[in-house]
Amino acid sequence: MSRSSAPGTSEVLRAHCAAIAKEEALLREGGGKAGHERQRKMGRLPVRERLSHLLDKDSSFFEIGLWAAYKMYEQWGKIPAAGVVTGIGNVTGVPCMVIANDATVKAGAFFPQTTKKVIRAQRIAFECSLPIIYLVDSAGVFLPMQDEIFPDEDDFGRIFRNNSVISAAGIPQFAAIMGNCVAGGAYLPVLCDKILMTKGSGLYLAGPSLVKAAIGQIVDAEELGGAQMHAEISGTVDFSEKDDPSCLKRLRSLVALLPEARESTSNIPKETSKPAKAPDTIYNLISFDGQQNYDARDLLATIIDANSMDEYKADYGKTIVTLYARINGRPVGIVANQRLQVRTKKEGIQMGGVIYSDSADKAARFVMDCNQTSLPIIFFQDVTGFMVGRDAEESGIIRSGAKLVNAVSNSMVPKITVVVGGSFGAGNYAMCGKAYDPRFIVAWPTARYAVMGAAQASDTVFAILARARERGDKKAAHEELEELRAKVKQSYEEQTDIRYGAARGWVDAIIQPHETRDILIRLLGYVSRPMPKGHFHTGVIQV
């Protein structure tokens, strides 16, 4: 069904959101029944069962990058979640980043998006001072794509560089080898603070076959790099465990030694207040096709605490709403695109979802003020871009836009971005898109990412190609150009689908609209942790 032709009804939107949730359930199955059976035959648990043993019972798990690699490597088969599970959950009351290979997906091999997903998880953990737990069960780099995984600054080697920097910053890292850990990947656990390893797992720079080919030595896997050898001979492993449940139990006991685990209560605040409007009413505000206008304040009323809204410059720069509020008692600053058409005394009518000079100036000043008072900022994106045209240029739109981009770029307080609708062009930048370092960036199923909308893109490309063909010797038929326009539009509609962006790591997670408040409560708990201060020392080095 074409997004542009879909009726803007609550039923269609709910059905689409339910379909997204169903698709996510399939992604969480990883390699499916056959992969799970293969794990069990080797005496190992599937990755999500490992998580159930590791994480506190009845505690939530904020998963990051579930859509990574979605439909990206179909020539190699399906790669659900890029073969690795990343997310934040409580272990003995301590929020921890968990990075766990899924060996049911291509034996846990690293694809390009696997690497990017792990690096993203490491960055979030570093900026939020979250302990990291690695559950290692990977065959290493997926060799047919090694040139896209191995060499660059955001590729495989960056993971181990990050291990070193994170350790030096004093952030705890735990590695549990629960399967294969070979070649360059072997550096990851050895660069962590503590290493656990289960019986039957392997840790070596080169496996038995490669050793034989390289130096002619014949050695079995256990003798070469098994848990007993590393525990008793090389001294690399700190804890040798008989099986997965034993290893995960040990991990929990080690995390329980951390100072914050000794606190009597969890760091995540309990629900103390309610929003003015029920979260479920969000579905009556927005539409599946993104064409329905709504007041940003009504949307925010389903998320922030009731009676906590103090709007900043309410009558100026109206196409962006800026306000101070509380979410579960935590004070925050909010910058949100206004989707209603507004009237200003200076500019007259202004279109909703568009950033004008006055709204850019206001938002820039608000971001500066939040930094002055150390308030975290939440951006709600539903933006079509900056205003264009002669009047806009004369008003200094470029200068005002640059001011906002500069303020967002240099902002030092934690930033969280929620993409609720469109995220087009430079509007994505000004409203703290991925390139501007939000601690977390999440999106609703209705979100759309692109340099411009599908209709504008198809019209623009159509005009360019039409002129080019007219200049050629052969005149293009009208029907031929219309067919070309339709193809361009279809391509853009596919690429603006948020699943396309999530597959490429542009957002950390696709969330259900009615769960936005609950998720923000958790994320605010994570970003409120102090960032580590940089100072030189080597961290933990295994001997």
Side-chain angles (χ1 to χ4, degrees), residues 165-389:
V165 171
I166 291 167
S167 183
I171 298 173
Q173 294 181 95
F174 304 85
I177 302 166
M178 310 176 78
N180 290 316
C181 184
V182 300
Y187 288 112
L188 183 148
V190 181
L191 289 165
C192 291
D193 300 359
K194 294 180 177 66
I195 306 176
L196 298 81
M197 190 171 181
T198 58
K199 183 179 179 180
S201 296
L203 171 66
Y204 31 69
L205 292 178
S209 299
L210 185 55
V211 167
K212 181 179 179 181
I215 63 173
Q217 186 179 72
I218 298 175
V219 60
D220 65 36
E222 181 61 33
E223 184 182 2
L224 180 66
Q228 187 175 1
M229 189 282 290
H230 281 304
E232 297 179 6
I233 301 175
S234 77
T236 302
V237 170
D238 298 316
F239 300 94
S240 178
E241 304 295 337
K242 63 178 181 179
D243 54 24
D244 283 12
S246 172
C247 184
L248 295 164
K249 183 179 179 181
R250 176 83 69 177
L251 266 175
R252 287 181 56 82
S253 69
L254 293 174
V255 175
L257 297 175
L258 298 177
E260 48 188 310
R262 295 196 290 268
E263 297 176 8
S264 59
T265 58
S266 170
N267 288 338
I268 304 302
K270 293 179 174 61
E271 189 75 14
T272 59
S273 54
K274 300 291 182 183
K277 296 186 177 182
D280 197 58
T281 61
I282 285 177
Y283 294 100
N284 300 322
L285 289 176
I286 62 171
S287 62
F288 172 60
D289 61 5
Q291 299 303 308
Q292 183 172 311
N293 290 331
Y294 60 86
D295 192 327
R297 300 173 193 85
D298 291 335
L299 184 152
L300 296 174
T302 68
I303 296 169
I304 65 175
D305 296 353
N307 303 315
S308 73
M309 183 186 296
D310 287 316
E311 188 169 353
Y312 177 81
K313 294 187 185 291
D315 298 319
Y316 182 81
K318 295 181 180 180
T319 63
I320 289 183
V321 173
T322 51
L323 54 90
Y324 305 105
R326 291 180 179 270
I327 296 180
N328 199 35
R330 289 184 183 272
V332 296
I334 291 177
V335 180
N337 296 114
Q338 174 62 280
R339 282 301 306 269
L340 289 181
Q341 186 181 85
V342 299
R343 178 182 290 276
T344 66
K345 288 188 175 179
K346 184 177 179 180
E347 304 289 342
I349 298 295
Q350 294 183 336
M351 294 181 287
V354 178
I355 301 176
Y356 291 77
S357 295
D358 53 358
S359 51
D361 285 341
K362 177 176 82 170
R365 175 65 182 82
F366 183 77
V367 168
M368 295 175 201
D369 192 69
C370 287
N371 276 267
Q372 187 75 359
T373 53
S374 300
L375 278 181
I377 307 172
I378 303 175
F379 294 81
F380 287 85
Q381 285 193 7
D382 194 351
V383 58
T384 56
F386 283 84
M387 189 56 188
V388 296

Side-chain angles (χ1 to χ4, degrees), residues 25-47:
L26 288 175
L27 291 175
R28 290 189 176 96
E29 293 179 5
K33 185 177 180 181
H36 288 206
E37 289 176 353
R38 189 167 59 250
Q39 279 287 94
R40 295 186 193 285
K41 283 180 180 178
M42 292 186 288
R44 300 168 185 168
L45 296 176
V47 65

